[in-house]
Amino acid sequence: MASFTPYAYIQCPCVDSVPGSRSPDGASTPTSHSSPEDDERDFDPRSPRSNYSLYPIEYMLYCEDCHTVRCERCVTEEVVTLYCPSCLFEVGNSSVKTEGNRCTRSCFQCPICIGPLSVQSLESTPAAPEPSLLSADHATATGPAGPWILCCSYCNWNSSEIGVKFDKPQGIFAQLSKLRSGYDNHHSRYTSSGDGDTYPTKRDADGEPGSTKARFASLKSFYQTQMSNENPNSGLGSTMDYGYGSPGALSRIMSLYSGNTLSSAKPKSKPTIMREADTTKEGLFPAKLDDTSVMSGLRSAGYDGTATRAQVNVQVEEGARFATDLWPIPYVLRTKRTKRCPSCRHILSKPEAKVSNTRWRMRLIAGNYIPSITIKPLIPVGAPGGPTTHLLTPVKPVQYLLTFKNPIFETIKVTLATPAVTPGRFASKVTLLCPQFQIGANSDDYNLDEVLKDRDKDPQRKRSDTTGQQVEAGKEWDSGRNWVSVVVEVVPSSIQIEPKPTILKKLGEVDDLGPLREDEDIVEIPIFVHLEWEASADQVTGKDREDKETKEKKELAYWCALGIGRISPE
Amino acid sequence: MSTNTGPALAHRTVSSIRAAREVSPNSPHTPIRSLSSGQISSPSSLRADDDVLVIELGCRRLRVGFAGDPVPKRIVSFEGKQARRAGDFRAWEAGYEDDWRKRASGQAWGWEQQLWQLDVRGQDLGLVGDKIERGLREALVKYLLIDSKPRKMVLVLPPAIQIPILSSVLDTLFNRFGTPTISLVSSPVMTAFAAGVRSALVVDIGWHETVITAVCEYREVHTWRTIRAGKLLIEKTKNFLVEAIEGRPTPEGEDEQAPDDVVRFEECEEVATRILWCKKAHNPPSQEFPEGLPTLHEQDESEPVDPAEDTTPTRIHLTSCNPPRTLLIPFSRLSEPCETTFFETRYSPACFDDHEFPLHLLVYRSLLQLPLDVRAMCMSRVIFTGGCSAIPGLKGRIFDEVSLLAQERGWDPIRGKGVEAYKKNPKLQRTNTPPKQVNTDGSSTSIPVVAQQQQQQTPTITETTPAGGTTISDTSSPPPTAVINPADVPRQPDQVEDHIRQEKGYKPPIRGILRAIDSMGPWCGASLASQLKIPALAVVEKDLWAQQGVNGASKPSEIDVQAIQKSQRQSMGAGGLMRGSQMSSWTLGVWSTV
Ligand SMILES: [Zn+2]
Ligand SMILES: [Zn+2]
Ligand SMILES: [Zn+2]
Ligand SMILES: [Zn+2]
């Protein structure tokens, strides 16, 4: 709590384009120093919703054609590469549909601690827990003989604890699926025990369709049979032949039992009734009402023998109760994605297709297009005349420097606006001393002297000799080739929770005397940033700018939330 | 930042990709509209056409997956970490968990973990949309591994979801995911579908409420609700744990709320889901009642002590209390929170308000209130679902209690002899008092009746149905047995049925006996139904939603009978309509009346 790093978050303008939030026109633009009462649309970074639209600039992309920032919510994505994060094996796009979203080789996570599991020979395990974290498919073939188990080198869990051993060290996924379906048939919570089966139809002798997959399949084939009985000519068993408009199938499955619907005349003429599933083979299962075995399990395993919610949540299937119900978790595949601007379709970000190459073929990050904002106290903590603590003292004015740095090769005109007090229960006063300024263009045709001169003026290096400078309203504090620093003065509110004086209350306003909420003691300033610059229409950069034929005026506006510091409770 | 290739390189790449521009039919200045409508040709577009996403909406979690899969690919739960800003990694820092009191302060208990509150008033509906959007996006990107091409969606809705919430959800799905159409299906109906039956009494022991829905022929006939559900259980668990920590028992019968800052919500839920169990009925149903007896059959000899007598201390280590401590709680006492949450047998039924009826009484009452032939079907198809139904012993307990009530108070004979009894003495049916309207019991009128079009087909039922509607409010003075009617009433002879009888392997459906069956759950049902191309209750199209929003939906009652007849064929049930191409109006199905 002692240190606090000031931060700047950007609200992606795409919040405005969704109904239910703010209006899509620029109506939310406040004029300089407008008070929140004047404009209901003022942005409140404290509202729970703002957490879903605020991003650090590093998280944002930029579309050069639309001249706007893009967040994860307002880009369209395409999958470039699918791969397993453990063995880095590339997976075809089509096989995700058939094989599922997990690695089907031998990559598993520990069901207890989600650490990576490695395949080891059962005999060698107690002696040498070799942490071969890579896929078991690379395991040595010359090594010890089976049986094989999956082991966790972090928590020492191994699959023999749930009675799972493998014949071969490769293709664990397939072996495990086989074991698992067999296991479910014997221990399933879905199959009822023989004695408790009050259900008239006994299970079929040839295998117990207990697993979720098997149940789903039997139910599906039951419905398919029922639907196709109606119309045997339209292709037995193939559901795809029944579109929405296939009256036979639909009326069969939908029609009323007694046939006295509104449209009773028609269905009655046909045998339209689909019967219900009747046996486990058809997918009907009696409820397992007797939990005696679960109860004795609870008594013997105790609280610690049950699976934690976190462990249950990462399992592939729902329903694990005891630690012994937990199965190794095959790694979920990952994707590399191309991101496009949703309106102009241009690519904003494109990774290298190869799994092993972590670079980007292109990536238009917002930081290369819009000014970055850095925040620091005008007088550093501990400096003479400066604050002695990182906490802000209530009611005592404090000045901060906002430094805007221009990354583009054009001059940017910046207009800032902020409400006079921060929104929320603890209203701190905010004054922007210089709400309008220009930042010089960035350039790549550096002249060394200029760079050196600029470095002397770099805000980082100035702090000691600027303490004597007078803060003046309407004036920039300092500036360099492509950066400008302006001062914002904050009078932090007290964070004592007390009723508001009646005189300040609006009609019908009720005091919120709840305890201090998380981060409510942070002075967070909503600031509206409006940028204007000229861009050449045909996107030429650098030296060709001399031509100057087609310059277009561009603008971009967005809200920011600037975290200044925490208010001291006293 | 290290991966940044800089603007100069970017420019070159853009120009080489420029060709893509012609494909776009969109004007570049309407970002969101075009978010969804544009088509991109990408490798993954090959399978996008047949990918239908099935989303089950719940207050605590979303189940997301592809239609045709037996299980969802991802179950999204809502928690504090999910609600943080991008780039805020404090949740992963050491000591974060210990700070829970600070984060929870000033918030309602469990506020972060639920998507919406029971009382929709004063709720930020935009926030509901934001949470769903973030959770769903993560599921699609990290677990379903799909691109952002618009896909059709099937939305499984809990019974009686409030319209403002539904509206916010639809806004999010249309505007943020650009889905072209959303099919709305009912969770109880899908639960029945996933059990292989057409009618059922679905007892959904969920988060805010337990909702009992009578489903008849894939239609929601009626719902009943009580707050005895997950949320109350967590609160009772909190009280229980605080009591154990502070070592002072709450006086019997006192409903004192323990403070919120002793044990963390997450830890109470952890205890509740992992170790709580439910006692058996005090006096189990008698032996002459073989159908509903599964719990009596298995007295395991290896189990010398009944769990209710087992005082062996169970160690529960709690980390969120200050200081962390290990409680030693006798196993027998771990059934207490369930007892007070779901049953509350200390009190007589008359003490309960309608919204807090104990579960077993509500199940019994809902069966009683159903028309006889619907009851006959539903009582043989009781399905327990919802998160709390996994508590060991709970399903069996409710079932046994209902059996007991039935035994004591009637709807005799319940062993399927109703047919014979009726056939022998049809007068029994006619001489009885006229059916007591369900809503003469003042309480029931407030329960949303979801069977709008049902009226048209119920005449036959009411004709042949004698007094079946004895309500639970009468239970202080049980009606004389003579008045009680068979649960099972034969239907009138029917050519349709005759026809089916001739089908191979026909068996009459089981009716009139109490029977509980298992369902694979609503998500699975919707996945299966969608794969089998069974139409939904209502289909909402993006363009119409954009134009009209929720106000554009017609109330089903406003649609004329002609239209209903036309669309009947395409609807899952008469209660909900599908927007057929020939119709200009569309509905939100049964939900528009709530
Ligand atoms: Zn955005
Ligand atoms: Zn792998
Ligand atoms: Zn481990
Ligand atoms: Zn663009």
Side-chain angles (χ1 to χ4, degrees), chain A residues 12-15 53 55 60 69-75, chain B residues 176:
Chain A
C12 183
C14 73
V15 273
S53 59
Y55 293 89
M60 303 188 93
V69 285
R70 294 282 178 208
C71 70
E72 57 174 4
R73 302 164 86 185
C74 59
V75 292
Chain B
R176 288 299 193 172

Side-chain angles (χ1 to χ4, degrees), chain A residues 62-68 70 340-346 348, chain B residues 21 28:
Chain A
Y62 185 87
C63 178
E64 292 181 325
D65 284 65
C66 304
H67 300 285
T68 187
R70 294 282 178 208
R340 286 178 192 266
C341 172
S343 41
C344 70
R345 297 272 154 221
H346 281 128
L348 307 180
Chain B
R21 189 169 221 174

Side-chain angles (χ1 to χ4, degrees), chain A residues 23-328:
Chain A
S23 79
D25 54 43
S28 54
T29 312
T31 48
S32 184
H33 290 245
S34 72
S35 67
E37 284 84 0
D38 294 337
D39 190 352
E40 281 189 336
R41 298 184 191 284
D42 258 349
F43 165 58
D44 177 7
R46 280 273 159 270
S47 90
R49 282 204 70 182
S50 72
N51 278 6
Y52 295 85
S53 59
L54 285 172
Y55 293 89
I57 192 170
E58 296 82 14
Y59 281 64
M60 303 188 93
L61 299 170
Y62 185 87
C63 178
E64 292 181 325
D65 284 65
C66 304
H67 300 285
T68 187
V69 285
R70 294 282 178 208
C71 70
E72 57 174 4
R73 302 164 86 185
C74 59
V75 292
T76 57
E77 301 184 350
E78 292 153 38
V79 175
V80 176
T81 312
L82 271 157
Y83 65 98
C84 165
S86 171
C87 65
L88 301 184
F89 195 74
E90 206 173 305
V91 179
N93 224 320
S94 53
S95 75
V96 178
K97 189 71 188 166
T98 50
E99 309 281 324
N101 59 341
R102 291 169 188 271
C103 180
T104 53
R105 303 172 91 211
S106 301
C107 309
F108 288 89
Q109 284 175 285
C110 173
I112 307 297
C113 74
I114 68 165
L117 294 177
S118 56
V119 181
Q120 289 172 11
S121 164
L122 184 56
E123 287 140 35
S124 72
T125 34
E130 189 124 349
S132 75
L133 301 184
L134 272 181
S135 152
D137 284 346
H138 304 302
T140 74
T142 52
W148 305 83
I149 49 171
L150 285 167
C151 299
C152 175
S153 52
Y154 292 90
C155 70
N156 288 324
W157 180 89
N158 75 66
S159 62
S160 69
E161 288 178 27
I162 56 165
V164 169
K165 291 168 202 164
F166 307 98
D167 300 332
K168 294 172 296 178
Q170 300 92 13
I172 299 290
F173 184 89
Q175 294 185 64
L176 194 72
S177 322
K178 219 170 166 185
L179 281 169
R180 179 152 196 184
S181 58
Y183 182 95
D184 278 351
N185 286 346
H186 290 102
H187 300 259
S188 173
R189 34 198 170 268
Y190 298 117
T191 46
S192 74
S193 57
D195 293 343
D197 195 350
T198 57
Y199 193 59
T201 336
K202 292 290 176 202
R203 267 173 272 111
D204 292 284
D206 53 344
E208 297 162 299
S211 78
T212 314
K213 232 182 189 168
R215 271 186 77 176
F216 189 83
S218 38
L219 203 51
K220 182 170 142 191
S221 79
F222 165 71
Y223 282 126
Q224 280 173 339
T225 318
Q226 290 301 308
M227 287 165 86
S228 60
N229 278 351
E230 166 64 19
N231 195 352
N233 297 329
S234 64
L236 272 156
S238 162
T239 50
M240 293 313 161
D241 294 338
Y242 298 95
Y244 279 73
S246 164
L250 295 178
S251 59
R252 187 171 178 84
I253 202 161
M254 291 308 136
S255 70
L256 279 168
Y257 215 42
S258 48
N260 46 5
T261 56
L262 286 171
S263 50
S264 55
K266 241 189 157 185
K268 267 208 168 178
S269 60
K270 285 203 220 166
T272 52
I273 304 308
M274 190 193 74
R275 65 178 177 85
E276 295 180 322
D278 203 29
T279 59
T280 50
K281 202 180 175 185
E282 290 173 348
L284 184 96
F285 282 73
K288 188 174 177 294
L289 296 179
D290 178 23
D291 286 325
T292 314
S293 58
V294 178
M295 235 92 91
S296 38
L298 276 186
R299 289 161 74 178
S300 57
Y303 188 61
D304 296 331
T306 57
T308 68
R309 285 168 59 78
Q311 287 165 348
V312 172
N313 290 344
V314 293
Q315 284 286 300
V316 179
E317 284 190 30
E318 290 178 83
R321 189 187 298 276
F322 297 105
T324 48
D325 295 338
L326 298 172
W327 288 77

Side-chain angles (χ1 to χ4, degrees), chain A residues 18 55 76 103 189 209 276 318 345 357 389 426 445 455-456 468 522 526 533 541 552:
Chain A
V18 170
Y55 293 89
T76 57
C103 180
R189 34 198 170 268
E276 295 180 322
E318 290 178 83
R345 297 272 154 221
N357 190 337
T389 155
F426 309 112
D445 47 350
R455 206 200 279 162
D456 285 340
I522 296 179
W533 71 100
T541 52
E552 259 180 76

